[in-house]
Amino acid sequence: MAFNKAKAMQEAEKYVSQGKLSQAIKQYERILEKDTSDLILLNTVGDLYVREKNLPEALKHFHKLADSYSQEGFTLKAIAIYKKISKLDPNAIEVLVKTGDLYVLQGLSREARDQFAQAVESFRKKNQSDKALDAFRKIVALDPENAGYRTRLADFCAEVGKKADAASAYGEAAE
């Protein structure tokens, strides 16, 4: 028997209206197996997992959704989903970097800088200095003429023991 997506959707929606979230999720997951390109449904399933308080599954769906939006060029939609992920999982530092990268694509330097700065601070708190340094370099790349950013990058490089990088950054700031 052929798969009838419309009928399967009606059944899933019926489960949602009855408050039978786990059954609705199972039905939606079956639909997703048949139609992996339905991004709206991916968001719906993620939202249902949130309602069930199953954050790991919700986050898995939202990450997949954001990555898909990003790959397909739907930058604003990807940013919205990454923000949703950040609210659900404040420890998802990589999401800050991805959001910052998407803001760069949109030409929104200030917003990108804010995301990268949050990532730098979070990476520093977790003693992930290499990742913090990468995020810091993205801030400098947004405004390469800003000597203040370069000086702070140099200070940070020196702080984490990257003396050659610090010397280079100090030299660039001086120029």
Side-chain angles (χ1 to χ4, degrees):
M1 188 161 131
F3 177 71
N4 185 337
K5 183 177 177 179
K7 185 176 179 183
M9 289 289 288
Q10 283 179 334
E11 188 175 331
E13 289 165 7
K14 181 180 81 173
Y15 287 136
V16 171
S17 68
Q18 294 172 344
K20 298 177 181 177
L21 300 183
S22 61
Q23 290 172 302
I25 290 170
K26 286 177 189 171
Q27 185 66 18
Y28 282 133
E29 292 280 15
R30 278 189 227 122
I31 298 166
L32 281 172
E33 285 175 16
K34 303 287 184 185
D35 183 4
T36 58
S37 67
D38 192 336
L39 299 181
I40 294 170
L41 189 55
L42 199 57
N43 188 51
T44 300
V45 173
D47 286 338
L48 288 174
Y49 276 123
V50 169
R51 287 175 57 187
E52 274 202 328
K53 300 196 182 346
N54 186 345
L55 286 185
E57 280 299 313
L59 291 169
K60 184 175 93 176
H61 283 75
F62 291 142
H63 277 285
K64 185 176 177 182
L65 177 61
D67 291 343
S68 294
Y69 278 148
S70 183
Q71 289 169 4
E72 292 182 19
F74 297 115
T75 307
L76 292 175
K77 288 182 178 185
I79 288 169
I81 299 301
Y82 281 131
K83 285 185 168 214
K84 189 183 230 183
I85 292 168
S86 287
K87 286 180 183 172
L88 292 171
D89 183 8
N91 296 319
I93 307 168
E94 295 295 337
V95 169
L96 295 171
V97 176
K98 288 180 180 182
T99 306
D101 289 337
L102 292 171
Y103 277 133
V104 169
L105 288 175
Q106 288 296 111
L108 300 169
S109 298
R110 185 175 51 84
E111 289 83 353
R113 190 172 39 254
D114 290 346
Q115 294 295 307
F116 294 142
Q118 287 179 43
V120 167
E121 289 308 308
S122 295
F123 284 134
R124 286 178 85 172
K125 287 177 185 173
K126 291 188 172 210
N127 293 321
Q128 295 177 332
S129 57
D130 287 342
K131 289 183 177 184
L133 194 53
D134 289 341
F136 213 132
R137 285 188 176 119
K138 290 179 183 233
I139 293 171
V140 171
L142 288 170
D143 191 0
E145 302 300 315
N146 188 318
Y149 290 148
R150 287 193 180 281
T151 301
R152 285 193 292 254
L153 173 62
D155 291 343
F156 182 67
C157 288
E159 180 185 319
V160 297
K162 305 266 185 181
K163 293 180 181 177
D165 291 339
S168 174
Y170 280 127
E172 291 169 356
E175 289 175 17

